[in-house]
Amino acid sequence: MAEEKVGRDGGVQSLRRAFELLERLADTGGEASLSELAATSGLPMPTIHRLIRTLVQLGYVRQNTNRRYALGARLIRLGENASMQFGTWARPLLAELVEATGETANLAVLERDEVVYVSQVPSKHSMRMFTEVGRRVLPHGTGVGKAILSQLPAEDVRALLERTGMPAFTTHTFTDADALLAHLAQVAAEGYAVDESEQELGVRCIAVPLTGTPAPAAVSVSGPEGRLTKDAVSRIAPLVQATAATLSTHLAESA
């Protein structure tokens, strides 16, 4: 049996390269050919062919009818379980945010062009916001989605919007890509996004993106407009930003 080549840091080189190819496929937002993977990775074509063939056999990559390659269905279970564990780990910090703001706190990640809520700690008020953990929504119409999109290159956001469309959830939802991109520039400058009844009428949400995380993510506080007033936004936004910074730091240290 051939011995695996070990890198300078003690890691297995072929394993590292396989994961790099998976990440490059993810970065394409869809699919790629072997020659495109060779151009972006710098690996020799025979190496890429060998790694891709193994990943296809395991179900982590699939070959489409046009002979291009995309991420395989077997990754879904791994990604969903990792997201849920991430949410469980973050829950104590969300609970602190609820204590500080009095409103529901959420954590969401971007998966396959959709925002997935992976953790929530509800407000103690009888009238409160509730989003089922595991719920998937399109990012253009949510505070967490806009916060996440504000950290991505404009061309990547436009490509995502072309894939998902921009349906209106309420009369306040952004349905024009150019208008949303201009809004996202403002979100990036301010450091937080506000959902003004864009997903659900009567609900306001303040969301802040995490930085330096393996997957795009955001933390938010949501509540009825009657309590989460525009004046309250200026008071609560720094608290959400502090929680997002703490989560980002913890994730960076554990990476």
Side-chain angles (χ1 to χ4, degrees):
M1 181 180 292
E3 187 172 316
E4 289 283 3
K5 187 173 182 180
V6 177
R8 292 181 179 178
D9 60 358
V12 178
Q13 187 179 69
S14 60
L15 185 61
R16 179 183 295 107
R17 287 175 169 177
F19 277 104
E20 288 175 352
L21 285 180
L22 289 174
E23 290 183 355
R24 291 187 186 281
L25 274 175
D27 290 341
T28 65
E31 58 183 27
S33 65
L34 291 179
S35 59
E36 288 169 345
L37 290 173
T40 58
S41 69
L43 295 175
M45 184 65 77
T47 299
I48 290 179
H49 190 270
R50 184 175 67 254
L51 291 172
I52 287 291
R53 184 173 65 243
T54 301
L55 290 169
V56 169
Q57 291 171 350
L58 293 173
Y60 294 115
V61 169
R62 72 174 189 273
Q63 184 177 23
N64 295 331
T65 55
N66 59 3
R67 301 188 63 80
R68 293 167 67 83
Y69 294 89
L71 297 178
R74 197 168 182 184
L75 288 169
I76 295 175
R77 181 173 63 89
L78 297 180
E80 289 180 344
N81 284 334
S83 294
M84 294 305 130
Q85 290 175 11
F86 173 35
T88 299
W89 171 81
R91 190 175 174 83
L93 286 171
L94 296 183
E96 292 178 4
L97 187 56
V98 172
E99 287 294 328
T101 65
E103 303 296 345
T104 297
N106 312 279
L107 178 66
V109 299
L110 184 66
E111 288 185 359
R112 303 193 303 279
D113 292 347
E114 295 177 314
V115 169
V116 184
Y117 289 89
V118 297
S119 189
Q120 181 181 87
V121 176
S123 165
K124 296 178 181 179
H125 292 287
S126 58
M127 182 183 292
R128 60 195 180 194
M129 301 303 102
F130 177 78
T131 299
E132 183 181 358
V133 171
R135 181 189 179 197
R136 292 177 173 270
V137 296
L138 296 181
H140 73 282
T142 65
V144 286
K146 294 193 300 180
I148 290 171
L149 294 181
S150 73
Q151 301 298 294
L152 303 180
E155 59 269 24
D156 291 352
V157 175
R158 194 177 291 277
L160 182 152
L161 297 174
E162 289 177 355
R163 293 191 297 269
T164 64
M166 298 181 68
F169 306 116
T170 74
T171 56
H172 302 285
T173 309
F174 280 93
T175 57
D176 177 77
D178 290 332
L180 178 61
L181 285 168
H183 175 68
L184 294 178
Q186 180 182 353
V187 170
E190 294 180 345
Y192 64 91
V194 179
D195 172 356
E196 298 279 8
S197 292
E198 296 160 44
Q199 179 70 29
E200 185 177 348
L201 289 175
V203 176
R204 182 169 281 127
C205 173
I206 308 164
V208 177
L210 273 61
T211 57
T213 54
V219 62
S220 72
V221 162
S222 57
E225 290 180 334
R227 283 202 312 266
L228 201 54
T229 63
K230 292 187 177 182
D231 287 340
V233 168
S234 60
R235 173 180 59 84
I236 291 176
L239 301 176
V240 185
Q241 290 174 317
T243 299
T246 300
L247 283 168
S248 299
T249 299
H250 286 184
L251 281 173
E253 290 175 348
S254 60

